[in-house]
Amino acid sequence: MASQEELLGHIERLEAENRRLREREKDSIETLHTLVRKLPSPSAAIGAGAGILLANEPFVRAGGYKAAQRAENAPSLAGVPLRDILPNELCALAETVHASGEDTEREDIVWNGTPYTFSAYNIRRGELTIVLLRNLADPDIRVEELTARLQQTADRSIRMIQQVAFLLGEEVSENAKSIGSVIRALKVAPENGQRR
């Protein structure tokens, strides 16, 4: 049985580990806040229950009057339900990513009259998701988006061509085997079982 001294020592080590973990968590949260604030595109971190943990200034501006009003009482929209800011279709996309853990990229949407590409990246399923909107009216982003989409389309086409070529190669190989066996069978003379 452990002595009281050993138990006290064990408790002290656990408390120290607990303090260290809380400090790491605090550092991670500060890093996340810094990252979201510095993103030039409208961005928000979504927490449990699809509430906004933090939204950057471009996100608040993109949200229009309603978001600006909410930001007066809740700086960076912290604690505001996502549904109070984004339209239902965007909330549904963000909530799906948040719940499933599967990211979504490059969904074209219009929010407050502005065309955006909507992306949501899950960091911790059900706990932390980052929502990012890229303004397609911005010429630099438009060129970048079009280039990325063309590359995706080219990659998808190449993969499809490779799959078709593989299937055709398999079929040609099987056909060649079948034809070869038919030719061998025909070379056997029906008369006296002799070959030609």
Side-chain angles (χ1 to χ4, degrees):
M1 183 171 215
S3 71
Q4 189 168 357
E5 268 183 37
E6 290 173 329
L7 289 175
L8 289 174
H10 188 65
I11 289 170
E12 285 178 18
R13 285 190 298 279
L14 289 174
E15 287 174 343
E17 179 67 12
N18 191 22
R19 279 190 301 275
R20 189 180 66 75
L21 289 173
R22 274 190 254 135
E23 287 172 9
R24 283 183 62 197
E25 180 181 23
K26 183 181 173 192
D27 288 346
S28 296
I29 290 170
E30 288 174 8
T31 300
L32 172 69
H33 284 213
T34 301
L35 173 70
V36 170
R37 277 191 206 102
K38 287 189 175 195
L39 287 171
S41 297
S43 310
I46 311 305
I52 297 173
L53 296 173
L54 171 79
N56 64 6
E57 186 57 35
F59 188 89
V60 174
R61 280 194 312 269
Y65 178 74
K66 187 177 182 181
Q69 269 189 319
R70 296 299 303 263
E72 287 178 11
N73 297 326
S76 301
L77 300 176
V80 173
L82 190 61
R83 288 201 175 273
D84 288 0
I85 305 300
L86 291 179
N88 288 336
E89 73 178 75
L90 292 183
C91 284
L93 274 171
E95 289 170 356
T96 298
V97 169
H98 194 63
S100 71
E102 294 182 26
D103 299 345
T104 186
E105 290 190 72
R106 294 188 169 88
E107 292 284 335
D108 291 335
I109 55 103
V110 175
W111 183 30
N112 290 336
T114 304
Y116 289 98
T117 294
F118 175 86
S119 299
Y121 303 99
N122 188 268
I123 308 300
R124 277 193 315 257
R125 186 176 168 191
E127 295 178 34
L128 181 60
T129 299
I130 304 297
V131 170
L132 178 68
L133 296 153
R134 301 186 77 206
N135 185 342
L136 291 175
D138 181 331
D140 293 335
I141 290 176
R142 188 177 319 139
V143 167
E144 189 179 317
E145 275 299 311
L146 291 174
T147 302
R149 288 180 189 196
L150 285 172
Q151 186 62 51
Q152 282 179 333
T153 302
D155 292 345
R156 196 171 45 247
S157 295
I158 288 170
R159 280 193 307 274
M160 183 181 66
I161 289 167
Q162 288 172 334
Q163 290 172 347
V164 168
F166 175 76
L167 291 173
L168 285 174
E170 288 283 312
E171 188 62 28
V172 167
S173 175
E174 288 299 316
N175 287 344
K177 285 180 188 175
S178 294
I179 291 171
S181 68
V182 169
I183 290 172
R184 282 190 300 277
L186 290 174
K187 283 185 177 181
V188 176
E191 320 164 15
N192 300 329
Q194 297 176 358
R195 290 185 143 208
R196 289 185 184 173

